[in-house]
């Protein structure tokens, strides 16, 4: 859960408190899943989840402020109100999931007293670890930053410790069965492997290869969220290489899979084909980067495969920007991007070739270029594009210097005149106004006029 302003330590201590209370009341309770994995890896967990034998009704009674979320899934949020913020601990009752018929959710959930059964319905061995924070040789609060101590408290029914140590993502139980139950797990496998630099265990990888097509049944929003996480966790290149190796890429993003083997002119792209080039951009996406920059990097050349042509002089991709924008628009629609996310992603694709012309742009064109919303993302994309190719940053440096040196009032100066002045000068309001004001703004941005009088003179000369 979102911790807001609270520190990881506060959240950790709150979760410890929850475990302690549940145990004092005679129930089994553990820290579970991602937080145990992260503590063992020496990484700060995003959140601390608790798994317990107590049923939701009991948990709801035991703590003061609680919320039942998806009560049939057996999860209760316990709220904490500390000086440094409000947050919740997720408390899940041990459960065993029944059959899955929709490829995503269990049809029925059965509570169980068995911690082991609960672990066995989880996805991967590294995510199937429980920890008893009171069964260790130090104060529970000292567990953070001490993976060796965490290890002492681990309860491992599935060989998760060994896999964590060896760097392996392995499905719990029969991989095919587990991916048949919930198809989203295939994407999660890739995401965890990329995030931690782990490999997919052989049978797990084979199962994904044979079932990849089933991802078509998963909601597009969930697929989008997985892909966005892969793109913005700092390991986008590894994630997309794995998506490709497992056959998932062709299922979820066939337009990107088509980049493979699409040759480029070697004088501009010594690195190789469009796919290799795109991976070169993904390699530069930093952890925490914006989702629009990430998707823009992934899709900037998506128009190249369909426009590839071997012209007499060299390979050409005439119109790849326009075609790319159309394809990217379809992808944004398919994945239900918000309007704002769509706008910026498409703007990045649409403008990515303009940097090469910047030194020949009229002043007005350059200033209008700078007005693009989130211009720093356009700059960042162009830089990645260059570094993934020729390595020549000349155009990037030129534009960045001009952009940084130009004050906002120069890029977006106050208009010299408006429609009101035109009416006052006797012009009838209408379609021509737009052209007149545009001509005035052009001249103003070029620096050839600077006053309202000069603006009116220009209008009279040009438009009569
Ligand atoms: P992250 O750091 O990305 O949050 P996480 O391991 O905490 O990783 P969550 O999606 O928060 O992942 O889920 C918490 C735990 O619930 C997982 O560690 C895993 O044990 C279990 N889990 C989550 N999603 C699934 C799933 N689709 N199938 C089976 N178990 C799952
Ligand atoms: Mg989590």
């Amino acid at each position: 859960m979102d911790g807001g302003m609270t520190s990881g330590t506060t959240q950790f201590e709150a979760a410890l408190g929850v475990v302690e209370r549940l145990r004092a009341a005679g129930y089994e309770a553990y820290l579970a899943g991602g937080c145990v994995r992260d503590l063992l890896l020496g990484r700060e967990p995003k959140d601390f989840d608790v798994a317990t034998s107590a049923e939701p009704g009991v948990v709801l009674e035991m703590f003061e402020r609680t919320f039942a979320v998806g009560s049939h899934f057996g999860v209760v949020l316990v709220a904490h109100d500390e000086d440094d913020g409000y947050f919740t601990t997720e408390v899940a009752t041990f459960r065993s999931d029944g059959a899955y018929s929709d490829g995503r959710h269990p049809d029925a959930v059965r509570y169980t007293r068995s911690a082991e059964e609960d672990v066995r319905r989880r996805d991967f061995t590294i995510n199937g670890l429980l920890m008893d924070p009171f069964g260790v040789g130090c104060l529970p609060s000292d567990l953070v930053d001490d993976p060796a101590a965490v290890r002492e408290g681990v309860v491992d029914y599935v060989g998760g410790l060994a896999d964590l140590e060896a760097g392996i993502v392995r499905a719990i139980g029969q991989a095919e069965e587990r991916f048949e139950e919930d198809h989203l797990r295939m994407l999660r496998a890739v995401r965890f492997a990329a995030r931690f630099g782990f490999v997919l265990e052989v049978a797990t990888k084979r199962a994904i290869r044979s079932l990849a097509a089933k991802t078509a049944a998963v909601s597009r929003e969930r697929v989008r969220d997985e892909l966005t996480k892969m793109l913005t966790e700092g390991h986008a290149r590894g994630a997309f290489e794995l998506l490709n190796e497992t056959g998932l890429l062709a299922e979820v993003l066939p337009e990107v899979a088509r980049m493979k083997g699409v040759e480029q002119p070697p004088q501009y792209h010594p690195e190789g084909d469009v796919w290799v080039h795109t991976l070169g951009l993904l390699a530069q996406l930093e952890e925490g980067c914006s989702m629009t920059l990430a998707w823009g990097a992934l899709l900037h050349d998506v128009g190249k495969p369909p426009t590839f042509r071997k012209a007499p002089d060299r390979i050409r991709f005439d119109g790849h920007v326009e075609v790319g924008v159309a394809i990217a628009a379809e992808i944004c629609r398919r994945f239900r991007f918000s309007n704002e996310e769509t706008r910026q992603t498409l703007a990045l694709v649409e403008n990515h070739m303009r940097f090469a012309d910047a030194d020949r742009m009229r002043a007005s064109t350059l200033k209008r270029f700078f007005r693009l919303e989130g211009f720093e993302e356009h700059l960042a994309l162009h830089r990645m594009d260059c570094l993934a190719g020729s390595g020549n940053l000349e155009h990037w440096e030129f534009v960045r210097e001009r952009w940084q040196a130009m004050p906002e009032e120069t890029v977006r100066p106050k208009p010299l005149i408006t429609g009101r002045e035109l009416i006052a000068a006797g012009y009838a309001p209408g379609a021509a106004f737009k052209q007149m004001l545009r001509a005035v703004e052009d001249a103003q941005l070029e620096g050839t006029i600077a006053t309202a009088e000069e603006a009116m003179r220009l209008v009279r000369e040009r438009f009569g």
Side-chain angles (χ1 to χ4, degrees):
M1 280 290 110
D2 184 8
M5 298 288 289
T6 49
S7 67
T9 320
T10 311
Q11 293 196 48
F12 182 53
E13 277 166 2
L16 289 178
V18 171
V19 170
E20 196 170 22
R21 286 268 294 275
L22 286 161
R23 291 193 166 204
Y27 297 97
E28 268 190 85
Y30 299 98
L31 295 177
C35 67
V36 181
R37 176 200 67 214
D38 290 347
L39 287 172
L40 288 164
L41 289 171
R43 301 165 67 107
E44 189 181 340
K46 265 185 287 183
D47 37 43
F48 295 88
D49 299 336
V50 172
T52 180
S53 60
E55 293 202 6
V58 173
V59 181
L60 287 167
E61 282 290 302
M62 193 177 303
F63 298 93
E64 216 158 83
R65 281 223 284 159
T66 52
F67 307 92
V69 289
S71 62
H72 53 296
F73 275 34
V75 176
V76 173
L77 299 182
V78 174
H80 312 274
D81 227 337
E82 303 285 333
D83 295 343
D84 51 350
Y86 168 88
F87 60 97
T88 57
T89 303
E90 206 174 295
V91 182
T93 302
F94 294 155
R95 59 182 233 223
S96 63
D97 298 343
Y100 287 64
S101 48
D102 68 351
R104 178 71 195 109
H105 307 101
D107 302 335
V109 169
R110 198 173 58 78
Y111 299 132
T112 167
R113 288 265 163 180
S114 160
E116 177 167 358
E117 268 190 82
D118 181 77
V119 164
R120 295 203 175 276
R121 58 94 194 164
R122 293 173 183 266
D123 48 6
F124 306 108
T125 61
I126 58 168
N127 290 348
L129 295 167
L130 303 174
M131 193 196 50
D132 169 3
F134 300 98
V136 295
C138 66
L139 279 178
S141 53
D142 290 343
L143 282 168
V144 182
D145 299 327
D146 193 351
V150 173
R151 231 166 177 280
E152 292 171 40
V154 165
V155 179
D156 182 6
Y157 292 110
V158 290
L161 271 177
D163 284 340
L164 201 56
E165 213 135 278
I168 296 172
V169 174
R170 180 197 310 266
I172 293 173
Q174 279 287 319
E176 295 217 4
E177 265 173 41
R178 307 312 310 283
F179 295 140
E180 284 278 8
E181 286 172 357
D182 177 354
H183 312 321
L184 188 75
R185 289 176 188 152
M186 294 189 270
L187 291 165
R188 287 173 56 87
V190 167
R191 177 160 64 82
F192 289 119
R195 187 202 282 174
F196 301 123
F198 285 11
V199 297
L200 292 173
E201 177 269 333
V202 177
T204 302
K205 192 167 186 175
R206 196 185 320 121
I208 298 177
R209 274 214 195 92
S210 72
L211 297 172
K214 301 236 171 186
T215 48
V218 180
S219 90
R220 298 295 90 185
E221 288 88 341
R222 296 307 301 263
V223 174
R224 172 200 65 207
D225 291 348
E226 284 297 323
L227 293 172
T228 296
K229 283 183 190 167
M230 290 183 209
L231 286 166
T232 58
E233 284 186 349
H235 305 278
R237 181 190 177 117
F240 272 73
E241 281 172 337
L242 260 186
L243 286 175
N244 179 40
E245 282 171 36
T246 51
L248 286 166
L249 186 66
E251 300 298 334
V252 297
L253 281 168
E255 302 89 341
V256 174
R258 272 190 77 187
M259 295 174 183
K260 288 184 287 176
V262 176
E263 278 177 79
Q264 308 196 88
Q267 63 269 40
Y268 299 111
H269 287 286
E271 74 280 13
D273 68 26
V274 180
W275 168 244
V276 171
H277 171 69
T278 300
L279 287 176
L281 277 91
L282 298 191
Q284 299 172 67
L285 290 173
E286 289 171 2
E287 182 175 2
C289 69
S290 86
M291 73 85 80
T292 50
L293 178 60
W295 279 92
L298 178 68
L299 301 178
H300 78 289
D301 274 347
V302 77
K304 278 191 168 179
T307 55
F308 173 88
R309 178 170 70 90
K310 266 195 163 134
D313 54 341
R314 64 173 175 89
I315 292 166
R316 292 190 173 276
F317 301 98
D318 298 331
H320 91 265
V321 169
E322 292 71 22
V323 172
V325 170
I327 296 172
E330 169 53 32
I331 292 171
C332 293
R333 212 173 10 253
R334 191 200 312 155
F335 286 122
R336 321 267 196 278
F337 279 31
S338 72
N339 291 340
E340 180 51 28
E341 289 162 352
T342 301
R343 186 202 57 69
Q344 180 68 351
T345 303
L346 299 186
L348 287 167
V349 177
E350 186 177 353
N351 290 283
H352 83 273
M353 294 295 285
R354 296 184 65 198
F355 285 77
D357 306 323
D359 55 355
R360 278 163 285 145
M361 279 180 189
R362 297 160 56 92
S364 54
T365 310
L366 188 66
K367 287 173 186 172
R368 288 208 176 91
F369 186 39
F370 290 165
R371 287 184 193 175
L372 286 171
E373 228 171 280
F375 190 73
E376 62 288 347
E377 286 192 5
H378 290 271
L379 269 173
L381 175 60
H382 176 68
R383 184 167 189 277
M384 293 191 284
D385 200 2
C386 295
L387 290 177
S390 65
N392 181 346
L393 288 177
E394 240 174 77
H395 298 304
W396 176 73
E397 274 159 5
F398 173 83
V399 175
R400 188 189 56 149
E401 275 164 28
R402 299 293 296 273
W403 180 64
Q404 284 179 339
M406 205 173 291
E408 176 67 16
E409 62 272 21
T410 312
V411 176
R412 229 179 281 269
K414 197 170 169 295
L416 296 173
I417 57 168
T418 66
R420 198 180 314 157
E421 281 82 13
L422 292 176
I423 293 170
Y427 292 99
F433 269 35
K434 224 174 135 187
Q435 287 172 33
M436 293 174 183
L437 295 174
R438 169 91 184 187
V440 167
E441 191 188 49
D442 266 339
Q444 181 188 15
L445 293 175
E446 294 296 338
T448 54
I449 62 169
T451 66
E453 294 71 46
E454 288 170 331
M456 285 314 303
R457 193 177 319 131
L458 180 145
V459 170
R460 275 191 295 274
E461 278 168 18
R462 291 234 199 124
F463 297 90

